[in-house]
């Protein structure tokens, strides 16, 4: 059986919508009947709060344990199932992953350590269980994001339609190229998604055009609009398809982007 397609959702600027995008693509995959593993690789643990409404029991291994040097936990032991069919989660509890990030940053990053997440996803019991793995990255290109890039086949960069976010995309593109070369992995920047798009704002239209020039076919079209219903669903820990008829166009938009990203 083919290993799962692994997609890292990245952007070093905070608050652009990485977690929102990861959660909604995970829901789209679940709606499509795919077996999805969402990995929360951000010490903030926002994806975990969105997809999992229970406490992680004391002693249950979490994502951080997969990345520790001394005897990493198997990813299979970390995974919990969520309320949605086919959607599982590798959860994060903030302080532990932050400690791993500090450790990874302070100690020499051996290729073996950077590739721990890659190896964990490729381990047979995980690889056989999923069609798609989605990794939610923290808002920096630090050690954890590098581990995600080394584990990924594809990177989805999420951006707001502003100059600052657009500039940050160049850095991601360079990081992806560096990781590909340095760790001999197949990762590529395969899509850019403009999020929080306001069609009536001239600046947003301007930056979308300039991103289209810069990234051509990589730019997912149409962008995801700024809509209160999107943040409400995330805060309530429900999927957009549970938000009634008003959310239907957005649900269809994420379904469409999921198909493009995974085809
Ligand atoms: N399209 C959207 N419309 C309205 N609100 C949105 C949209 N996308 C994201 N948000 C809101 O913006 C805030 C930041 O989103 P999110 O947490 O997904 O960003 P992030 O990039 O993961 O942040 P961080 O860098 O801190 O991890 C959240 O309150 C979220 O609900
Ligand atoms: Mg986030």
């Amino acid at each position: 059986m083919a290993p799962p397609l692994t997609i890292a959702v990245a952007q070093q600027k905070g608050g652009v919508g990485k977690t929102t995008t990861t959660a909604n693509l995970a829901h789209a995959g679940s709606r499509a009947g795919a077996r999805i593993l969402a990995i929360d690789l951000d010490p903030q643990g926002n994806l975990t709060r969105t997809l999992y409404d229970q406490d992680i029991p004391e002693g249950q291994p979490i994502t951080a344990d997969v990345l520790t040097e001394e005897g990493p936990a198997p990813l299979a032991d970390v995974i919990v199932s969520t309320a949605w069919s086919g959607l599982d989660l590798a959860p994060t509890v903030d302080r532990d992953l932050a400690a791993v990030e500090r450790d990874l940053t302070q100690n020499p990053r051996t290729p073996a350590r950077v590739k721990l997440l890659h190896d964990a996803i490729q381990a047979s019991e995980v690889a056989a269980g999923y069609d798609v793995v989605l990794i939610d990255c923290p808002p920096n290109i630090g050690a954890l994001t590098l581990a995600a890039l080394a584990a990924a086949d594809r990177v989805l960069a999420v951006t707001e339609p502003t100059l600052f976010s657009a500039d940050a995309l160049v850095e991601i593109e360079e990081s992806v190229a560096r990781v590909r070369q340095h760790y001999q992995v197949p990762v590529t920047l395969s899509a850019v998604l403009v999020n929080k798009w306001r069609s009536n704002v001239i600046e947003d239209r301007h930056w979308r055009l300039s991103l289209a020039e810069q990234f051509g076919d990589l730019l997912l079209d149409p962008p995801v609009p700024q809509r209160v219903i999107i943040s409400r669903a995330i805060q309530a820990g429900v999927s957009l398809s549970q938000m009634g008829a008003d959310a239907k166009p957005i649900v269809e938009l994420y379904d469409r982007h999921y198909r493009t990203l995974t085809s």
Side-chain angles (χ1 to χ4, degrees), residues 14-20 22 40 42 44-47 136-139:
V16 294
K18 293 175 288 294
T19 303
T20 301
T22 308
D40 190 352
D42 182 353
Q44 297 178 94
N46 291 340
L47 185 70
D136 184 25
C137 294

Side-chain angles (χ1 to χ4, degrees), residues 23-34 36 251 254-256 258-259:
N24 281 302
L25 291 173
H27 289 312
S30 165
R31 283 191 292 273
I36 306 287
V251 168
Y254 280 114
D255 286 349
R256 174 171 167 179
Y258 173 83
R259 285 194 297 274

Side-chain angles (χ1 to χ4, degrees), residues 65-203:
D65 298 313
V66 175
L67 297 168
T68 53
E69 204 160 25
E70 55 295 327
L75 182 55
D77 292 357
V78 168
I79 293 170
V80 294
S81 41
T82 71
W84 297 275
S85 158
L87 172 54
D88 289 351
L89 171 73
T92 276
V93 181
D94 33 16
R95 60 182 190 286
D96 299 283
L97 195 54
V100 165
E101 184 170 33
R102 269 196 306 280
D103 181 41
L104 269 169
T105 306
Q106 282 158 10
N107 294 313
R109 285 183 207 146
T110 62
R113 183 99 194 263
V114 174
K115 284 177 88 174
L116 276 176
L117 185 63
H118 169 273
D119 297 347
I121 293 169
Q122 299 301 323
S124 57
E125 68 264 69
V126 174
Y130 298 98
D131 302 306
V132 173
V133 177
L134 293 163
I135 308 173
D136 184 25
C137 294
N140 56 51
I141 307 185
L144 293 171
T145 296
L146 291 182
L149 297 185
D153 303 297
R154 302 178 182 178
V155 176
L156 166 62
V158 179
T159 182
E160 288 176 11
T162 63
L163 170 62
F164 191 80
S165 302
D167 280 352
L169 292 172
V170 175
E171 250 180 88
I172 295 188
E173 208 173 20
E174 287 168 1
S175 301
V176 169
R178 264 202 310 277
V179 167
R180 183 173 56 234
Q181 205 175 30
H182 193 74
Y183 299 105
Q184 302 284 304
V185 287
V187 64
T188 55
L189 177 66
S190 73
V192 173
L193 177 64
V194 173
N195 184 41
K196 302 195 190 182
W197 158 257
R198 300 160 302 174
S199 58
N200 56 344
V201 174
I202 289 174
E203 287 79 8

Side-chain angles (χ1 to χ4, degrees), residues 1-16:
M1 190 180 277
L5 175 68
T6 301
I7 302 172
V9 181
Q11 159 73 288
Q12 65 274 40
K13 188 172 181 303
V16 294

